[in-house]
Amino acid sequence: MSQQILNYVDGELKPSKNGTTIDNIDPSIGRVYSTLPASSTEDVNGAVLAAKKALPQWSGLSIEKRSKILHRIADNIEARREELALAESVDNGKPKHLANQIDIPRAAANFRFFASAIVGNSTDANVMEGQAVNYTRRKSIGVVGCISPWNLPLYLFTWKIAPALATGNCVIAKPSELTPMTAFLLSDVCIESGLPAGVLNILHGYGAEVGQAIVEHPEIKAISFTGGTNTGKKLAATAAPMFKKLSLELGGKNPNIIFEDCDFDEMLETTVRSSFTNQGEICLCGSRILVQNTFYDRFCSAFVDRVNKLVVGDPLTEVSMGALISYDHLQKIKYYVALAKEEGGTVLTGGREVRISGRCAEGYFYAPTVIAGLGNGCRFNQEEIFGPIVSIIPFKSEDEAINMANDTTYGLSATIWTSDVKRAHNVAHRLEAGVIWINCWLLRDLRTPFGGMKASGVGREGGDEALRFFTEAQNVCIKL
Ligand code: NDP
């Protein structure tokens, strides 16, 4: 019998009120292995009641006590790292070793970071000499909603939940319906860590149903969302007339700008990683590789050689890439490779499904794919694909590289490779992207602002930005 995932409401694990379920597929074998509740508005209403009941005590708890509980959750995630990494790999298709090294440690770090951040946090005071003193109080918002995608399931889920809880809010959270397992296991971690009932409520189900019901609920005062740009638009249209606070982390079409004077070997290794880590299913992956024309041929040949060494296979073994998230996503990748050819592109390597023998024979595997010969303006280079496909485009001058990098509706992240420090800063300052890496990629400090410009989002997460998002500023002025 397949494993049954349950909602976590008012401190208890339970099915959805209507009792219906959704099949959950292991993408590496292409078969159902568990079920999750198909929650609806009724479940959201129940979760909001539980959250409201828990709110006065949780928001009134001393910072030290709240911090202690959140540290305990971090401890218990760390203690269950192997179990959670295996669950993440089975649910998402990503290599287990990647979940073990990145996803799960980062989920624990998210709780630990915000548990510590609230202890060290202070608020502003402004003195009007001889007249008055102002101090700014940062109060919790109340009941907030957190909605996350399938690509880094527990990593992104906890990136929202941890600051929301740390600042004294009660939370209604929904993971992607495609990857509910580690959110379910987190419910258990919270119970064993002594998180009071109703403080965190996790509802499973379809985005268009339970997700939409969370966004529509009048007593959920803020929504932190990570997902696609189109879903973000829909959310904003629902939430804006209700004056909800909104944080939107959306899609990207990130450029890697590579100048001839870079450290070639380091650039090559990192560019392979930034293209294909997690099957290219990371919003920060660089999908447009802009290469200075003076060494374009050398780059293409070295890059393709290196990509050909990547191993695609059973995610429970030591592979470079596992399975794509779903059958539908595999079809989307195939569609975009066909589009690249139609638009005049050449497949330098990949461009095909990968068949794995044995256990994973029915899984959704695709080869890392490199396309060349397409202009920046074509659909392939403009639309977010979110898979193991990159495009290489040559440029002649710094200006041309910057113009191409910015010529997209998105503005999430960018990577610059050069050993000229002046150029590195000048190019960075001219790029329309919220996160810039110079001579590195995915090096993350949780104190820094994280988020995108243009169609990549609204607002920033991380450090003080997250603490500010999940609180209301209230200024108190006292006449002297
Ligand atoms: P989706 O936008 O499809 O879904 C994101 C979440 O929203 C899921 O939990 C989904 O539920 C839910 N949802 C869907 N419709 C609604 C709705 N009407 N109301 C409320 N919630 C809804 O994104 P994906 O899960 O496909 O994730 C991939 C996308 O996420 C990519 O575009 C990627 O760039 C982006 N992303 C952005 C990041 C960033 O930091 N900027 C980081 C990671 C990913 P369900 O799955 O059940 O439909």
Side-chain angles (χ1 to χ4, degrees), residues 148-150 174 176-177 207 211-212 225-228 231 250-251 283 384:
S148 59
W150 48 259
K174 190 199 97 64
S176 169
E177 142 244 339
Q212 184 72 21
F225 170 82
T226 298
T231 317
L250 309 175
C283 54
E384 186 186 40

Side-chain angles (χ1 to χ4, degrees), residues 16-64:
S16 65
K17 291 201 175 169
N18 60 24
T20 55
T21 57
I22 301 168
D23 287 340
N24 187 27
I25 291 171
D26 169 349
S28 70
I29 58 169
R31 280 201 301 275
V32 175
Y33 83 103
S34 68
T35 61
L36 58 138
S39 309
S40 65
T41 307
E42 269 189 293
D43 299 287
V44 176
N45 292 341
V48 171
L49 280 181
K52 280 174 64 186
K53 194 172 69 181
L55 187 63
Q57 207 202 348
W58 181 248
S59 60
L61 210 61
S62 73
I63 280 175
E64 290 72 20

Side-chain angles (χ1 to χ4, degrees), residues 242-453:
M242 301 170 85
F243 308 111
K244 293 192 183 202
K245 243 181 149 178
L246 262 188
S247 165
L248 302 174
E249 297 297 334
L250 309 175
K253 192 74 186 176
N254 310 313
N256 282 352
I257 306 177
I258 306 177
F259 292 97
E260 191 189 19
D261 64 359
C262 66
D263 176 330
F264 190 84
D265 293 341
E266 197 182 348
M267 174 278 296
L268 196 67
E269 268 317 295
T270 310
T271 305
V272 172
R273 267 200 317 116
S274 71
S275 303
F276 300 113
T277 298
N278 207 48
Q279 301 73 244
E281 295 168 339
I282 301 184
C283 54
L284 303 164
C285 278
S287 47
R288 292 180 296 145
I289 304 180
L290 311 181
V291 180
Q292 193 166 5
N293 63 343
T294 46
F295 79 135
Y296 178 80
D297 290 339
R298 178 183 172 214
F299 173 82
C300 287
S301 122
F303 187 66
V304 166
D305 273 359
R306 184 65 192 75
V307 171
N308 286 340
K309 296 195 172 77
L310 296 176
V311 179
V312 181
D314 184 343
L316 300 185
T317 63
E318 284 298 311
V319 289
S320 330
M321 286 166 54
L324 298 180
I325 183 66
S326 65
Y327 176 79
D328 286 352
H329 199 50
L330 174 63
Q331 303 315 308
K332 180 179 168 185
I333 302 303
K334 284 160 71 177
Y335 167 79
Y336 273 101
V337 172
L339 177 70
K341 289 180 191 161
E342 242 174 66
E343 292 190 306
T346 307
V347 177
L348 298 186
T349 186
R352 61 184 171 81
E353 275 185 72
V354 176
R355 292 264 158 236
I356 313 284
S357 57
R359 193 184 85 85
C360 296
E362 302 299 317
Y364 315 129
F365 296 90
Y366 202 84
T369 299
V370 182
I371 307 279
L374 289 175
N376 188 61
C378 68
R379 277 185 58 204
F380 184 86
N381 282 329
Q382 289 290 318
E383 296 174 14
E384 186 186 40
I385 302 171
F386 211 57
I389 316 185
V390 293
S391 172
I392 311 182
I393 311 168
F395 67 83
K396 287 199 186 80
S397 66
E398 200 173 293
D399 278 350
E400 193 192 2
I402 293 167
N403 289 339
M404 277 203 281
N406 288 340
D407 185 16
T408 157
T409 52
Y410 295 106
L412 186 53
S413 72
T415 302
I416 303 164
W417 289 95
T418 177
S419 47
D420 178 340
V421 73
K422 208 163 139 186
R423 168 150 72 190
H425 288 288
N426 285 332
V427 172
H429 294 187
R430 291 175 64 195
L431 289 177
E432 295 162 357
V435 180
I436 311 272
W437 280 291
I438 297 173
N439 298 330
C440 59
W441 177 72
L442 209 59
L443 199 52
R444 291 279 294 121
D445 178 331
L446 303 191
R447 294 168 298 184
T448 60
F450 177 86
M453 297 179 183

Side-chain angles (χ1 to χ4, degrees), residues 6-17 37 39 42-51 53 171-173 187 191 196-204:
L6 296 168
N7 286 337
Y8 171 50
V9 179
D10 207 6
E12 287 175 14
L13 300 175
K14 41 182 110 168
S16 65
K17 291 201 175 169
S39 309
E42 269 189 293
D43 299 287
V44 176
N45 292 341
V48 171
L49 280 181
K53 194 172 69 181
V171 176
I172 316 294
S187 314
I191 293 169
V199 169
L200 171 63
N201 303 277
I202 300 176
L203 299 177
H204 298 275

